[in-house]
Amino acid sequence: ISIAGIHHLTDHEQSEFIAATRKTLKPGGRLLMVEVTTDSPTSRFLDGFVGRHTSTGHVGNYLRSDFAQIVRMAG
């Protein structure tokens, strides 16, 4: 299970996370992901309000609509 963490990676297509997940899952295993998409109300909230009110700020690399296809192609 991955909840709102992928948008902190710089390159979704070449992500070590995807490669490691593929190696870790048993045959027939499933990855459940909940993530923020580009230009969504949630992404604007995170980069706006959260970014202004935390000491480290927040700038996400949010998912495009084709991310599910990228994961499927990775196996």
Side-chain angles (χ1 to χ4, degrees), residues 39-51:
D39 200 32
S40 65
T42 303
S43 69
R44 291 188 291 275
F45 170 77
L46 289 171
D47 288 348
F49 181 83
V50 173

Side-chain angles (χ1 to χ4, degrees), residues 2-71:
S2 173
I3 302 174
I6 301 298
H7 71 266
H8 293 282
L9 302 175
T10 56
D11 187 352
H12 300 137
E13 287 84 357
Q14 301 299 320
S15 169
E16 290 181 22
F17 172 78
I18 293 173
T21 300
R22 193 170 102 210
K23 290 178 187 176
T24 304
L25 285 175
K26 294 179 180 180
R30 294 180 182 249
L31 168 64
L32 174 63
M33 292 178 56
V34 178
E35 193 47 79
V36 180
T37 55
T38 299
D39 200 32
S40 65
T42 303
S43 69
R44 291 188 291 275
F45 170 77
L46 289 171
D47 288 348
F49 181 83
V50 173
R52 286 190 305 274
H53 297 285
T54 60
S55 62
T56 58
H58 191 283
V59 177
N61 182 24
Y62 302 105
L63 301 185
R64 300 182 325 238
S65 61
D66 64 345
F67 183 73
Q69 179 64 24
I70 291 167
V71 172

